[in-house]
Amino acid sequence: DKVGVIGVPSCKGQSAGGVQHGPKALRQAGIIDKLTQLGVEVYDYGDLVFEQFDDDTPILGLKNPKNIGLAAKKISDQVSRVIKDDQIALTLGGDHSLSIGTIHGHAAAEKNMCLVWVDAHADINTPLTSPSGNVHGMALSFLVKELKEYIPQIPHFEWIKPCISAKDIAYIGLRDLDPGELWIVRNMGISCFTMHEVDRYGIDMVLRMSMQAINPHGDRPIHLSFDVDSLDPRISAATGTPVPGGLSVREGIYIAEELAATGKLTAVDLVEVNPLLGTKEERDLTVYAVYMFIISGLSLCVI
Ligand SMILES: N[C@@]1(C(=O)O)CN(C[C@@H]2CCCCN2)C[C@@H]1CCC[B-](O)(O)O
Ligand SMILES: [Mn+2]
Ligand SMILES: [Mn+2]
Ligand SMILES: [Mn+2]
């Protein structure tokens, strides 16, 4: 397989400075060199450049609508192009609001795609249920067809077409949801494997149940959106919203390997690495965990 790497130095979906340096930190870890050494054909599209707009007033509490809405459009177009070029779109973030663009772009290129969201959080607050106004916690609400009636008109978001159904999504690693998200996940029937299910069934069974739910015939392109805060903070402290009791590195790697082994992995987001948070050791460990995650997975794509 071929892999197209897209850097997205986004930070406006949340409030901790530094996450925009995630792409640089992941590149410096040597992801591209290692994949190349392993025989993966890698195309590096560099980092997307986003025009900065200072006149960006919050709307209904949602912060940075203009910057995020316009950035997401660029991301969507780029991811679409990469997938249409028959490459796996590997997006290096940046905060999780970038997934508005990557999932929208993936669906534009592969309308039958399905989504595995690995995260401590559901990131499905609507602008009206969000406790923070940070778009990284709302990304999915703009994309899920069944939520359309609950989403108010947001300037610069009008171009976003909901492109995925609740039944096409599987969550893994959840352990910190807001009340509005809990209602949505329960009432929309989204497959949800929290850390409780990971403890109870083990990661292999959780993956089998996830695929049974969203990709039973193994014919659908898979979008894997990986928030580094899905991992336990002891191995991924350099992130904006850490939550105790997360996945081990081995569980994370297993997810990447199993999804890659399906041969249907078509897009991967690596998000929320913030090199400015935590000590140097914590940063290096966080980056290394993401490196191991992606190398283990994509190196299987060579076979
Ligand atoms: N649901 C949230 C939102 O702001 O919407 C609230 N939460 C922080 C809050 C801290 C106090 C205890 C309850 N949680 C962060 C999350 C977004 C994470 C976005 B991600 O991309 O990092 O997953
Ligand atoms: Mn998270
Ligand atoms: Mn997230
Ligand atoms: Mn986070």
Side-chain angles (χ1 to χ4, degrees):
D1 275 0
K2 294 177 280 185
V3 172
V5 178
I6 307 162
V8 175
S10 64
C11 64
K12 300 208 163 136
Q14 50 87 67
S15 43
V19 67
Q20 70 273 19
H21 301 307
K24 185 167 66 233
L26 292 171
R27 288 179 190 282
Q28 282 170 349
I31 287 178
I32 294 177
D33 304 338
K34 186 68 177 174
L35 286 174
T36 308
Q37 282 165 23
L38 292 171
V40 180
E41 206 175 318
V42 183
Y43 298 84
D44 186 356
Y45 293 87
D47 289 2
L48 292 180
V49 177
F50 303 120
E51 194 182 343
Q52 302 299 314
F53 300 94
D54 298 331
D55 63 326
D56 200 359
T57 319
I59 174 98
L60 296 169
L62 183 150
K63 298 170 189 163
N64 301 313
K66 185 171 182 177
N67 281 286
I68 294 173
L70 294 176
K73 181 69 172 68
K74 270 188 126 172
I75 296 164
S76 179
D77 293 343
Q78 179 67 10
V79 166
S80 247
R81 247 194 310 277
V82 167
I83 292 174
K84 283 174 181 167
D85 270 355
D86 202 23
Q87 299 166 8
I88 295 173
L90 175 58
T91 302
L92 310 180
D95 73 81
H96 223 160
S97 64
L98 67 77
S99 292
I100 297 172
T102 61
I103 294 168
H104 191 276
H106 188 179
E110 297 277 5
K111 67 182 182 313
N112 192 31
M113 52 82 80
C114 60
L115 171 63
V116 178
W117 193 279
V118 185
D119 202 322
H121 311 94
D123 295 0
I124 200 164
N125 275 303
T126 73
L128 301 175
T129 69
S130 170
S132 63
N134 294 327
V135 181
H136 72 162
M138 307 180 209
L140 279 175
S141 79
F142 302 106
L143 301 167
V144 176
K145 293 171 184 169
E146 295 86 347
L147 286 176
K148 190 166 175 51
E149 61 192 285
Y150 300 99
I151 305 298
Q153 184 86 26
I154 304 288
H156 308 291
F157 281 52
E158 301 90 348
W159 63 273
I160 301 169
K161 196 169 48 66
C163 53
I164 193 163
S165 291
K167 65 175 178 33
D168 303 325
I169 302 169
Y171 280 122
I172 300 177
L174 297 192
R175 55 190 185 277
D176 176 14
L177 269 62
D178 299 319
E181 296 180 302
L182 208 50
W183 187 91
I184 288 169
V185 171
R186 284 192 176 140
N187 287 276
M188 297 290 153
I190 299 175
S191 298
C192 180
F193 301 96
T194 70
M195 286 309 296
H196 181 81
E197 280 73 43
V198 173
D199 291 336
R200 183 173 184 175
Y201 299 113
I203 195 64
D204 180 64
M205 188 51 77
V206 160
L207 275 166
R208 290 171 191 280
M209 292 189 280
S210 299
M211 288 298 106
Q212 187 54 41
I214 67 173
N215 197 6
H217 308 296
D219 59 338
R220 307 183 67 177
I222 298 168
H223 190 114
L224 169 57
S225 200
F226 181 76
D227 185 329
V228 73
D229 72 29
S230 60
L231 299 179
D232 190 277
R234 287 169 301 179
I235 44 168
S236 74
T239 189
T241 52
V243 184
L247 297 168
S248 68
V249 173
R250 281 301 323 156
E251 287 166 334
I253 290 170
Y254 194 83
I255 292 169
E257 289 173 335
E258 279 300 289
L259 293 182
T262 65
K264 301 301 288 180
L265 191 58
T266 308
V268 183
D269 310 330
L270 298 179
V271 301
E272 298 281 350
V273 170
N274 186 331
L276 301 192
L277 296 178
T279 64
K280 183 181 177 326
E281 289 72 23
E282 287 172 329
R283 179 196 62 210
D284 292 348
L285 189 55
T286 304
V287 171
Y288 189 63
V290 176
Y291 171 91
M292 288 301 295
F293 173 86
I294 197 62
I295 298 301
S296 316
L298 291 186
S299 59
L300 287 173
C301 295
V302 183
I303 301 162

